[in-house]
Structures are given as structure tokens and as C-alpha cells.
Amino acid sequence: MSARSLTRREILVATAAAGAVGLLPGTLNAAATSSSIRPFTVNIPLEEIDELRRRIMATRWPDQETVADRSQGVQLARLQEIVRYWGTKYDWRKAEARLNALPQFMTEIDGIDIHFLHIRSKHTNALPLIMTHGWPGSVFELLQTVGPLTDPTQHGGRPEDAFDLVLPSMPGYGFSGKPRGVGWNPDRIASAWAELMQRLGYDHYVAQGGDWGAPVSSAMARQAPTGLLGIHINLPATIPADVAAVLAAGGPAPASLTEKEAVAFGSLETFYKNYRAYAAMMGTRPQAIGYALTDSPAGLAGWMYDYNNGEPERLLSKDEMLDDVTLYWLTNSATSAARLYWETMGQSVLLAPAQKTSDISLPVAISVFPEEVYRAPETWARRAYRNLIYFNEANKGGHFAAWEEPELFSAELRAAFRSLRPGH
């Protein structure tokens, strides 16, 4: 991977060249036309890819699970199949080419390098949108939305539905820098994103996030930086305090719940029983779990694959999943990414301290996907967000909705933000 500073003339030349294919890097303000924003290209040395394959082929496997289902984790035969494919047929260069086909940049914010993609629409008056990925995701989970969001006329939308996209990698994730000190929680990331949008010259914009992107986007809405019009989230913090208390105590669902609220309570019980351990382990011992994830490709693949009840197997191809796993491996970011849980005291994204919804007055839009780990009922959403402008239950998709159902996800964003566009 490489990054270098450009002169103002080089930036203008690059901008003009990118414009020929409709991918303008963006209008930079006076501060950003200096070396503070640098073009970035991914170019992993061949020896690192060869070393990954060598480690994959040398995997030392555990014995087989003692049950016939996934209750002890991803099953040995299934993971062996995936890892064998990873070491013999998977091609990282295709993933690298997908990234390099889009304008990528680096900029230092608050002492750390932030990697981001910046894709401008060919349509005039496109609404700027910053989207935040989650764990164990990356910018890869958002790439299939680039076409539908920036060029809606080719994907069932209208010119006035277009967005300019900013897709950053969170600190400690992917090609962004790794924090060398504490404090990089959703609030601090939100402040960095506001600085990024200002640096790119946007005087108005919206924000979106699922998984960890939800508390980051919620923190942005709470901080209400100049120019932020509203947010869209697809994993909202809508659990009422009294319900959260019952869950924490291990009690049964309150009798007063509606049918949809009872379903939501049941999904929360399942989540905390089966998958809360991920947040607990990374939230309390990210360094300890990181030793294993950093040294064993198969261990990293198993840890990431098993998350969220087999979602990768259900909705993503092997290559899509392995693009993400390989990115974590090649950037050595398993530990630095896990520390985000430690920064929030081991809590999951559903109960992260950053999601103080009562402090949010900006407009909030919510989409609920049927295979999400937690399906927020509208009654709880309206209790949590006092300025809820959009709520919709989609008919398909899950936790990584942008990755799994990019066309549907993009249609949700068009509808969610339509009323916030200037001049609407």
C-alpha cells in the first residue's frame, strides 16, 4: 500500500481525469488542497500474500465439535472448506482492484491517518453522505451501494435521489491508522467524521451507519456539528431502560409488551445468550484474543465467520466474506479493531454508552431488516428518538444490509433522506 502527498496542480489534474469517468475526488477547501489529503492506492506486496497462503496451509486444526449443530461455534468441516478455498483459489488482487477502481485518500485527523473513499455523483445537487461500517466489517461491506447511491437513474431511482459518498475506515480498521492511546470511542470517531466532511468542503450532509456505524452516526447526531442534517441507522438503540433492566436480570418478557415488542425481546434474549460473548471478550481482553487472531489465519476466519449466526454463509459468497477477512489479516487489524469494544467497556453496539438517544434532536431515520440480530419495533423507536422522520421494515436483508441487499438498502436511504434534501 502506498500514499504520497500531491501538489495543488496534481490534485487539479487528478480531479479532471477522474471527472472523465464520473468519479470526481471532490471539491477541496483551502486547507485540504495542501498535503493534508493524499491519494491512496492499495498495493500489497506479493510476499505478504504468499506468507498468508503458507500459514493457511500450515493450519493446526482442533478436534471436531461434539454436537451436530452450530451451538459450539462454526463447525470444523465447514471452516476447513472455507479455509482450503482461501489458500488455493481465492484471489486478493481482485479485491484490491475493486478498491483501486474508486478514488481513495488518506488524511490525518486528531493525530491518526484516516483512509476513506470519496465518490461524487455525476448528478447535480447530490446529497453528501458519510457511511460508517461495523465489526467484523469494513468498507468492503459498502462498495456495492456505490452505484445505486451515486447513479440512481441506473438503479431504479431519480437524478434527485443521488448522493456523493464518503466511506471512511474507522481508526484501527483496514487501512486507517491504529490508535496508540486510549479514547477512540464512537464519540471521538464522530468528531473525526465531522472534521473530515468539513475538510472536504461540505456545508451540509447526512450520515448513516449499521453495527458500530449506528453508535458513531448517533454520536454525530448528538454532537450536531454544523452541516449535519440528519442520520439513518439500521441497528438503532431503541431498548427502553426498563426492558434492558429485565434483560440484564435474566427475567421473562414483561406481560405489557405488544406482539412485536415481545418478538424483539426474544431476539435480544437470543443475542445476549449466544453472541454477547464476542463483545464481552473483545471488550475486556482485546489484547489476549488478538494474539490468536493475529497469528492464525484460520483462527481469524473462524472468529469472523461465526459471528451473527452464520450470516456470511446465508447471504454472502465465499469471496465476499474472504475479501473482508483478508483485509483484516493483511492490515494486521484484528486487535486494533477489537479495542473499540474495550473503549465502550465491553458493551455491544445495542447498549453502547455513545447511544444516548434522549440527547438527539436532529432528524433520525430507521430501517429494520428481517434477519437483523435485533428487530427494533416502531413503538420503541419512537420512544427513543424524539425526531423520528422515517421508519420502515424491509422485506429482506440482515445485519450487514448494505452488503447483502445493496439495491434495497440504497432504496431505503433514498426514501429516508428525501425530506432532508435542501429545497425539498
Side-chain angles (χ1 to χ4, degrees):
M1 49 192 159
S2 60
R4 71 174 183 85
S5 298
L6 288 187
T7 65
R8 179 181 178 82
R9 181 179 181 280
E10 288 174 317
I11 288 176
L12 293 175
V13 170
T15 299
V21 292
L23 296 175
L24 293 176
T27 301
L28 307 180
N29 62 23
T33 54
S34 69
S35 61
S36 61
I37 292 183
R38 299 108 59 194
F40 178 82
T41 300
V42 181
N43 184 18
I44 300 296
L46 179 59
E47 54 265 29
E48 293 190 31
I49 299 173
D50 288 342
E51 171 63 10
L52 171 58
R53 289 198 180 101
R54 185 195 68 76
R55 284 174 173 264
I56 289 172
M57 302 312 295
T59 299
R60 182 188 184 196
W61 293 101
D63 58 310
Q64 185 173 322
E65 64 279 355
T66 57
V67 293
D69 55 25
R70 298 175 59 97
S71 60
Q72 293 182 355
V74 58
Q75 293 159 306
L76 179 64
R78 180 55 180 154
L79 189 61
Q80 285 178 325
E81 175 190 346
I82 292 169
V83 171
R84 188 178 302 114
Y85 176 88
W86 191 15
T88 58
K89 296 182 180 180
Y90 171 77
D91 185 0
W92 163 256
R93 295 302 185 197
K94 291 182 180 179
E96 197 172 79
R98 290 179 65 207
L99 290 173
N100 289 336
L102 299 170
Q104 297 178 86
F105 301 90
M106 284 282 191
T107 190
E108 183 180 317
I109 300 176
D110 198 5
I112 194 167
D113 267 345
I114 299 298
H115 164 257
F116 66 98
L117 290 82
H118 185 197
I119 309 99
R120 294 195 66 175
S121 173
K122 67 180 182 181
H123 298 292
T124 58
N125 301 318
L127 179 62
L129 166 63
I130 183 168
M131 294 204 294
T132 308
H133 63 83
W135 182 94
S138 66
V139 292
F140 275 121
E141 69 185 79
L142 305 174
L143 293 188
Q144 292 188 73
T145 68
V146 170
L149 291 174
T150 62
D151 192 8
T153 57
Q154 297 298 312
H155 298 269
R158 306 171 301 174
E160 55 267 34
D161 290 326
F163 294 90
D164 286 346
L165 292 184
V166 179
L167 310 178
S169 298
M170 289 192 294
Y173 287 72
F175 296 108
S176 281
K178 297 178 175 63
R180 300 303 178 191
V182 300
W184 276 101
N185 55 29
D187 287 319
R188 192 169 177 182
I189 296 171
S191 296
W193 283 187
E195 169 61 26
L196 175 59
M197 296 304 280
Q198 181 181 30
R199 192 171 293 183
L200 291 172
Y202 290 124
D203 57 11
H204 67 271
Y205 61 94
V206 291
Q208 195 283 329
D211 196 83
W212 275 114
V216 170
S217 299
S218 295
M220 292 182 73
R222 197 173 61 254
Q223 295 167 5
T226 301
L228 180 62
L229 303 177
I231 66 169
H232 173 276
I233 48 181
N234 54 295
L235 186 59
T238 61
I239 307 170
D242 55 337
V243 175
V246 173
L247 278 169
S256 60
L257 298 184
T258 67
E259 181 179 351
K260 285 192 173 182
E261 290 170 351
V263 170
F265 186 94
S267 68
L268 286 168
E269 280 189 312
T270 300
F271 176 78
Y272 283 98
K273 177 182 178 181
N274 296 335
Y275 301 104
R276 181 70 176 84
Y278 286 91
M281 291 178 70
M282 293 189 294
T284 57
R285 290 293 185 272
Q287 196 70 20
I289 191 67
Y291 293 128
L293 302 182
T294 299
D295 190 60
S296 169
L300 178 65
W303 184 253
M304 294 174 66
Y305 177 87
D306 194 55
Y307 178 72
N308 199 28
N309 198 24
E311 184 126 349
E313 184 176 19
R314 186 173 59 82
L315 292 167
L316 300 176
S317 70
K318 286 191 189 76
D319 284 328
E320 287 173 322
M321 187 197 73
L322 289 171
D323 287 345
D324 194 53
V325 178
T326 308
L327 176 66
Y328 274 69
W329 178 267
L330 294 175
T331 58
N332 194 15
S333 55
T335 306
S336 55
R339 290 194 187 105
L340 182 55
Y341 287 84
W342 184 90
E343 291 286 356
T344 55
M345 303 173 64
Q347 298 194 36
S348 76
V349 296
L350 292 173
L351 296 177
Q355 299 199 46
K356 299 173 182 175
T357 59
S358 61
D359 296 333
I360 296 176
S361 59
L362 285 178
V364 175
I366 293 173
S367 296
V368 176
F369 294 88
E371 301 299 327
E372 178 59 275
V373 294
Y374 162 61
R375 295 172 294 283
E378 186 172 2
T379 51
W380 289 358
R382 296 200 175 279
R383 286 175 61 181
Y385 299 96
R386 50 185 159 136
N387 194 3
L388 184 65
I389 61 167
Y390 178 87
F391 184 94
N392 188 53
E393 296 178 356
N395 61 6
K396 56 183 177 179
H399 188 65
F400 296 101
W403 211 353
E404 304 156 357
E405 302 290 346
E407 295 281 353
L408 175 61
F409 180 84
S410 299
E412 280 295 301
L413 295 197
R414 293 176 201 146
F417 287 129
R418 191 162 288 142
S419 67
L420 298 183
R421 291 180 180 269
H424 185 272

